Amino acid sequence: MLLTVTTTHRPATDLGYLLVKHPDRVHQFDMPTGTAYVMFPEATEERCTAALLLDVDPRKLRARADAFELSQYVNDRPYAASSLLASAISKVFRSAQRGTSKDRPELAAQAIPLEVRVPVLRGGADLVTRLFAPLGWAVTATPIPLEPELGGDSRYVDLLLTGTLRLADAINHLYVLLPVLDDGKHYWVAPDEIEKLLRSGAGWLAGHPEKVLIARRYLAHRKSLATTALELLDADQPVTEEESELPVARKAPLAGQRRDAVLAALAEVGATRVLDLGCGPGALLGALLKESRFTEIVGADVSARVLEQAERRLRLERLPERQRGRIKLIQTALTYHDDRLSGYDAAVLMEVIEHVDLTRLPALEASVFGRARPGAVVVTTPNVEYNVHYEGLTGMRHSDHRFEWTRAEFAAWADRVASQFGYTVTIRGVGDPDETTGAPTQLALFTRTEVTA
């Protein structure tokens, strides 16, 4: 799927500074469902165009077919603009979406002539116009005809938007409205989507005549989420991450609360040399790097591909030599002994164990608690009892989860492991707790007995 953004602002090549992308290069980004590319088919003083091409991998798409509620093999997901493209926009144009530019800060705050084209977009011309025209765009939505033998028009349009706006506003309009027009998301919609909607809709959504439709579709027709979002819009309260007295739906996302809880547990045991086991693309590693008390950080994962993603995400090649010396990435399987993992102050298994088959879990326990034997181990995993609060969720929270435990099941496992391998353990909740079901995430902090003594 394709998106192009063109400007005739002089010099037009300043678009590269706003997007933080050099016009002479092709920029490549790994996405959960494929690969995104940013390139500049034209870049002159008079006119500059940036093209975002999202190449969807059908194999990855099939793995998420349940989220789309579509056939695994025949669908329009690789071609028609949708939340897949919106996610790519947010990832590759993140600075521009925030309205910041290190090199052209004045221009980032200025309205410039823009032309945006989305060649294949699901949605009727009337709805497209109703959504974009109130935002200052001149809208041309050309229906795409069906095959000649069928006759008539398809349900897709070729969209062209022209106007004079801040680039950040244009990107946020697309980020919100592309999934709205498609009326479907490729991932499960949780309460933290409200915060994304309000942040991206700041300054324009509250006054939009179609705000009810936008909220309902963006939030996957989950009535409770849409109602909360509309109430917050009507209250005209800006969304900031620093606010402490926020409604539940606007508090920090659970992933952020989980990272903070892990960092707090590591600080509690005084760890300085830390293993992130099953590190994935490096979300926790980035947080560890920011903390100077962690003098040695090891990210370990079985997948070479995600380790490459982590290396790019952390920009390891750009780190100063001293910083780069604090971290290393290794490929290893956690169900096998690996002496490289021995001798560390602490190890973290953050949202890892539920991805391991129950029959292989004893091998992980022996490898981590028995052979590597760090001074402390931090384990987080979902609390399945809390799943009843996720409207529309059937089954487990992720298609790759092999199991999800109740609080009693997790406590029993933690007690057995601690007793078997010579650790003490304490268990706590992460996230806003419910009186009946507890917190959404459960955390166990294991401390080796001789270390405690």
Side-chain angles (χ1 to χ4, degrees):
M1 58 191 74
L2 180 67
L3 163 74
T4 61
V5 180
T6 301
T7 186
T8 54
H9 164 82
R10 299 289 294 271
T13 48
D14 276 353
L15 182 63
Y17 288 106
L18 294 180
L19 296 175
V20 199
K21 305 289 180 291
H22 198 291
D24 292 341
R25 292 178 50 198
V26 174
H27 307 264
Q28 179 176 330
F29 304 84
D30 288 326
M31 301 296 298
T33 54
T35 306
Y37 302 89
V38 177
M39 61 204 80
F40 290 76
E42 58 179 342
T44 67
E45 294 286 304
E46 295 76 25
R47 183 178 172 89
C48 185
T49 297
L52 168 58
L53 174 66
L54 180 60
D55 182 16
V56 174
D57 185 337
R59 294 168 299 178
K60 295 180 179 179
L61 189 64
R62 285 198 294 271
R64 308 185 72 99
D66 56 328
F68 279 114
E69 298 180 355
L70 293 172
S71 165
Q72 294 187 32
Y73 301 101
V74 181
N75 60 65
D76 62 1
R77 297 299 84 186
Y79 316 106
S82 64
S83 60
L84 289 169
L85 185 58
S87 293
I89 289 171
S90 182
K91 179 171 183 176
V92 306
F93 297 147
R94 184 165 298 170
S95 296
Q97 186 179 13
R98 293 172 178 166
T100 60
S101 172
K102 181 180 67 175
D103 299 298
R104 298 291 189 274
E106 301 84 3
L107 186 59
Q110 176 184 336
I112 60 175
L114 292 172
E115 179 182 292
V116 174
R117 187 179 176 209
V118 184
V120 183
L121 175 63
R122 191 195 300 203
D126 175 67
L127 179 58
V128 172
T129 303
R130 283 161 46 201
L131 293 179
F132 282 102
L135 302 174
W137 294 104
V139 182
T140 303
T142 305
I144 298 175
L146 293 168
E147 295 294 329
E149 58 269 22
L150 297 176
D153 294 327
S154 69
R155 56 180 176 174
Y156 305 96
V157 298
D158 181 347
L159 175 63
L160 177 66
L161 304 172
T162 56
T164 302
L165 301 88
R166 288 193 319 141
L167 181 61
D169 293 333
I171 291 175
N172 280 301
H173 295 166
L174 294 165
Y175 175 75
V176 172
L177 296 181
L178 290 181
V180 168
L181 284 162
D182 181 67
D183 200 14
K185 285 197 170 182
H186 67 283
Y187 55 88
W188 185 69
V189 174
D192 60 0
E193 290 292 298
I194 296 176
E195 184 178 350
K196 296 179 186 179
L197 175 62
L198 297 184
R199 186 185 300 115
S200 298
W204 62 271
L205 182 55
H208 199 293
E210 298 291 346
K211 67 180 180 181
V212 174
L213 180 144
I214 292 171
R216 287 177 178 171
R217 286 193 170 199
Y218 184 88
L219 297 167
H221 298 277
R222 294 184 59 187
K223 185 177 179 180
S224 61
L225 299 186
T227 299
T228 300
L230 291 168
E231 288 174 350
L232 295 172
L233 279 174
D234 290 340
D236 195 28
Q237 296 177 354
V239 179
T240 62
E241 295 181 356
E242 291 76 22
E243 290 178 284
S244 58
E245 297 299 323
L246 291 177
V248 170
R250 290 174 61 195
K251 290 184 177 177
L254 181 59
Q257 295 183 58
R258 187 184 300 121
R259 282 195 298 272
D260 290 345
V262 169
L263 292 173
L266 294 173
E268 183 178 329
V269 297
T272 60
R273 303 173 65 247
V274 177
L275 298 165
D276 182 6
L277 303 178
C279 64
L284 178 61
L285 292 174
L288 293 170
L289 266 176
K290 293 177 182 177
E291 300 283 345
S292 60
R293 69 172 176 269
F294 299 118
T295 58
E296 186 176 349
I297 304 164
V298 175
D301 203 282
V302 71
S303 170
R305 184 173 178 274
V306 299
L307 290 174
E308 291 172 0
Q309 293 176 355
E311 186 171 1
R312 285 194 295 272
R313 177 176 187 165
L314 299 169
R315 300 182 178 182
L316 296 187
E317 75 285 353
R318 300 184 185 181
L319 288 179
E321 184 176 350
R322 184 175 179 182
Q323 283 284 81
R324 181 65 182 86
R326 293 172 56 211
I327 184 169
K328 64 180 177 181
L329 304 178
I330 62 174
Q331 184 180 12
T332 188
L334 301 182
T335 51
Y336 295 92
H337 295 325
D338 189 334
D339 289 335
R340 293 177 297 174
L341 304 181
S342 299
Y344 285 84
D345 298 335
V348 178
L349 291 158
M350 189 172 77
E351 306 300 286
V352 170
I353 61 171
E354 64 272 12
H355 294 271
V356 178
D357 289 325
L358 282 170
T359 56
R360 297 293 295 156
L361 199 55
L364 180 146
E365 297 164 8
S367 174
V368 175
F369 292 90
R371 185 64 171 260
R373 201 160 178 75
V377 181
V378 184
V379 179
T380 75
T381 193
N383 168 20
V384 71
E385 296 171 76
Y386 193 87
N387 287 0
V388 296
H389 299 290
Y390 294 133
E391 183 180 331
L393 175 63
T394 58
M396 299 186 192
R397 297 187 200 179
H398 192 282
S399 58
D400 189 54
H401 284 184
R402 303 314 200 251
F403 62 87
E404 289 178 357
W405 278 332
T406 65
R407 288 169 291 172
E409 289 169 330
F410 182 57
W413 173 82
D415 287 341
R416 177 185 62 77
V417 169
S419 175
Q420 180 177 350
F421 294 101
Y423 284 79
T424 59
V425 64
T426 58
I427 296 177
R428 60 197 68 166
V430 179
D432 298 311
D434 176 82
E435 184 177 340
T436 302
T437 61
T441 293
Q442 40 196 346
L443 181 151
L445 174 58
F446 296 84
T447 308
R448 207 171 64 211
T449 306
E450 59 265 33
V451 172
T452 304

